[in-house]
Amino acid sequence: AFEGLTERLQGAISGLRRKGKVTDADLRDTMREIRMALLDADVNYTVVKEFVRNVREKASGANVLEGLNPAQQIVSIVNDELVEMMGDEATPLNKSPKIPTVIMMVGLQGAGKTTTAGKLANKLKREQNARPFMIAADVYRPAAIQQLQTIGEQIDVPVFELGTDVDPRDIVRQGLDAAREAKADYVFIDAAGRLQIDEALMQELADIKDIAQPDEIMLVVDAMTGQNATETAEGFNERLGITGVALTKLDGDTRGGAALSIRAVTGKPIKFVGQGEKMDDLDVFYPDRMASRILGMGDMMTLIEKAQKDYDEKQAEETMEKMKSSTFDFNDFLDQMEQVQNMGPMEDLIKMIPGMANNPALKNVQMDPKDMEHIKAIVYSMTPAERENPDLLNPSRRRRLAAGSGRPIVEVNRMIKQFNEMKKMMGQVLNGNTQGMEQMMGA
Ligand code: GDP
Ligand code: MG
């Protein structure tokens, strides 16, 4: 997601870099480009207007024109504004003082309500040892109940259902009783959706809200629907008073507008983002990390957290230190690769590395697990000394690696080149975000 927006924002700002002295007119041009980039990314018009006004205000207040490095200052102002626009801090799931916490899932058909209920239940179960419980209250969509049951079996969470012939209000009443009986601590109500907001749906949801008194009304919106996502959020919020948003399908080809507009338009926080179809593919939404991602500064924190799932913190810190001081060698690289292989699709991870999301060389890259095996084969063919000191790898040693790994020499050369580039880039970025980014933009 966001590649288009990232490229445009970087382009807009890098224009300033080429100037020795930045004039008021230059700044106006830059702001116009940023404005167009945001509008083309489907960010809500009013939100864009306010955003541009704020950035311009801060930029003139900060004396950007007289500053030594106008582009860098603008990056930092834009970054701060993006973070603020998305709500500053991560907002946790609401929790009832006494069990159960009731979470009502609402949203249009196909947005991802059922899937997200399952993902969230799974997350609570895994991270907090919670005892979730799900109520199948969508009696209209064909096979909706079956879908929730399948998910329930998969994550081992009980599902309450009364078929499709019972009024959803009664299902919710009885389901809540059953949940209390089962001593569940989180209850998910998988309510119905429609293709569009309509009165019958809203009335049903309002009734369910009255009955269940949910602690959280979680609106699920599909990030791929662009401007419509924001309008949907406004509609549901006006009628039901949502308490949080889960933004789904951020793994898809979305332009980013929904992530950037929803908070500003509804005043309600995005709490989670869905980034895939699997039960593990749900993450807490961090405005600052999202801003870095949008600006192409990568999302190192998320990457490191993913690694920490089966990696201890100390080791991760050591790796960071090595990257910073550029002592990262092929042994670390092998370690990393093994960690990364347990973490999920390579393409997604690569995009979190600073500078990689927009790296043209990786634009349409499909990381084949076979490629990883080839890279490993090359590293395994290195002597311990070569692994610790990649500079030793002269042409004759490289030929030996090619023979040893059974890979063509061009592939060996390419791999070493990429390793060196990665090492350099990480060193730069980790030693001061904006500076590293500056260099990338200038490149
Ligand atoms: P509902 O009608 O709102 O309950 O939507 P579903 O939960 O049935 O989801 C509709 C489709 O979107 C399903 O095929 C899901 O697997 C898919 N889906 C949901 N969330 C995500 C996501 O974050 N990423 C991707 N790629 N697909 C998702
Ligand atoms: Mg559903």
Side-chain angles (χ1 to χ4, degrees):
F2 307 135
E3 282 85 353
L5 178 58
T6 304
E7 225 163 82
R8 297 266 308 265
L9 288 176
Q10 291 191 343
I13 298 166
S14 68
L16 288 180
R17 255 186 73 77
R18 289 190 291 272
K19 313 264 178 187
K21 175 129 179 56
V22 176
T23 64
D24 209 27
D26 295 332
L27 193 60
R28 241 193 333 267
D29 286 348
T30 304
M31 291 318 300
R32 194 171 44 237
E33 281 174 48
I34 290 178
R35 183 173 162 272
M36 291 307 295
L38 291 169
L39 287 174
D40 287 346
D42 270 340
V43 182
N44 173 277
Y45 178 77
T46 320
V47 174
V48 173
K49 229 168 99 179
E50 168 142 351
F51 179 87
V52 168
R53 205 190 57 219
N54 289 348
V55 171
R56 190 178 284 147
E57 215 163 80
K58 284 192 187 168
S60 48
N63 279 327
V64 166
L65 302 188
E66 272 116 72
L68 284 179
N69 196 336
Q72 198 166 319
Q73 288 190 52
I74 294 277
V75 172
S76 137
I77 293 169
V78 168
N79 180 65
D80 291 351
E81 270 316 302
L82 285 174
V83 174
E84 199 176 313
M85 179 159 128
M86 291 186 285
D88 268 329
E89 305 251 314
T91 315
L93 195 64
N94 289 349
K95 197 172 177 185
S96 158
K98 63 182 226 290
I99 65 163
T101 292
V102 178
I103 301 161
M104 179 174 170
M105 310 296 287
V106 301
L108 296 181
Q109 207 167 55
K113 293 179 295 299
T114 306
T115 313
T116 307
K119 287 176 177 178
L120 205 45
N122 184 44
K123 195 175 175 67
L124 288 164
K125 201 173 152 162
R126 273 207 340 229
E127 291 174 8
Q128 301 176 22
N129 260 324
R131 296 163 55 93
F133 186 100
M134 304 195 285
I135 300 175
D138 179 357
V139 298
Y140 310 106
R141 196 174 185 188
I145 297 173
Q146 181 60 48
Q147 183 195 1
L148 192 65
Q149 279 174 324
T150 305
I151 289 174
E153 275 162 32
Q154 197 186 331
I155 60 173
D156 195 21
V157 166
V159 171
F160 180 88
E161 57 96 8
L162 291 175
T164 54
D165 295 332
V166 180
D167 188 290
R169 296 159 186 88
D170 292 324
I171 297 176
V172 168
R173 270 189 209 102
Q174 295 185 43
L176 286 169
D177 287 341
R180 283 188 202 103
E181 189 97 351
K183 303 234 169 352
D185 47 13
Y186 287 93
V187 182
F188 290 88
I189 302 172
D190 187 30
R194 294 266 205 284
L195 289 174
Q196 263 151 7
I197 294 182
D198 66 40
E199 183 43 37
L201 171 71
M202 283 302 171
Q203 190 54 55
E204 179 178 314
L205 296 178
D207 291 347
I208 292 177
K209 178 184 172 183
D210 282 347
I211 293 163
Q213 302 285 319
D215 304 284
E216 182 90 75
I217 301 182
M218 180 71 78
L219 173 69
V220 180
V221 274
D222 178 342
M224 311 266 284
T225 57
Q227 290 278 2
N228 288 337
T230 314
E231 278 156 31
T232 304
E234 240 181 325
F236 275 91
N237 189 42
E238 270 163 21
R239 185 65 197 267
L240 294 172
I242 60 172
T243 56
V245 176
L247 191 60
T248 62
K249 310 187 196 179
L250 227 61
D251 50 314
D253 188 19
T254 155
R255 283 178 285 177
L260 287 167
S261 315
I262 284 179
R263 170 64 187 247
V265 168
T266 63
K268 301 299 164 66
I270 298 176
K271 295 192 172 182
F272 297 95
V273 285
Q275 324 219 48
E277 294 198 56
K278 292 195 301 294
M279 282 298 114
D280 278 344
D281 298 329
L282 185 79
D283 295 304
V284 170
F285 179 77
Y286 292 97
D288 52 347
R289 298 184 195 180
M290 190 59 73
S292 305
R293 204 166 129 186
I294 288 169
L295 282 171
M297 297 197 288
D299 191 353
M300 288 303 283
M301 282 313 294
T302 302
L303 191 63
I304 287 161
E305 259 174 24
K306 276 200 200 290
Q308 278 171 356
K309 273 190 189 161
D310 20 37
Y311 207 44
D312 75 89
E313 203 163 331
K314 200 146 157 257
Q315 208 177 337
E317 254 169 41
E318 273 171 25
T319 306
M320 283 287 278
E321 273 314 309
K322 282 182 167 169
M323 287 177 177
K324 267 192 196 173
S325 58
S326 288
T327 52
F328 188 77
D329 65 17
F330 273 110
N331 288 317
D332 305 313
F333 184 64
L334 263 188
D335 273 0
Q336 287 280 291
M337 218 156 50
E338 255 140 42
Q339 295 296 333
V340 160
Q341 274 185 308
N342 300 327
M343 278 191 255
M346 225 13 236
E347 304 85 280
D348 296 353
L349 290 164
I350 291 237
K351 284 180 188 146
M352 294 184 199
I353 299 174
M356 288 300 179
N358 290 308
N359 191 321
L362 290 171
K363 195 108 228 190
N364 296 307
V365 84
Q366 278 290 328
M367 277 305 241
D368 190 330
K370 268 216 307 277
D371 292 340
M372 296 276 276
E373 292 312 316
H374 293 166
I375 292 174
K376 273 197 203 168
I378 297 171
V379 179
Y380 283 138
S381 303
M382 294 176 189
T383 64
E386 287 165 348
R387 286 189 210 179
E388 278 169 31
N389 185 1
D391 292 341
L392 288 177
L393 292 166
N394 62 19
S396 77
R397 285 175 188 256
R398 292 180 184 210
R399 278 194 295 278
R400 199 199 76 240
L401 294 183
S405 63
R407 305 308 309 161
I409 183 75
V410 284
E411 198 176 306
V412 173
N413 285 333
R414 188 169 56 223
M415 194 282 266
I416 295 171
K417 186 161 169 252
Q418 279 169 350
F419 170 84
N420 284 325
E421 276 169 6
M422 178 190 83
K423 186 171 152 180
K424 198 169 124 206
M425 187 139 53
M426 293 206 157
Q428 279 170 0
V429 171
L430 294 174
N431 284 307
N433 265 339
T434 47
Q435 224 179 332
M437 190 189 159
E438 276 282 284
Q439 262 152 39
M440 275 183 267
M441 290 192 319

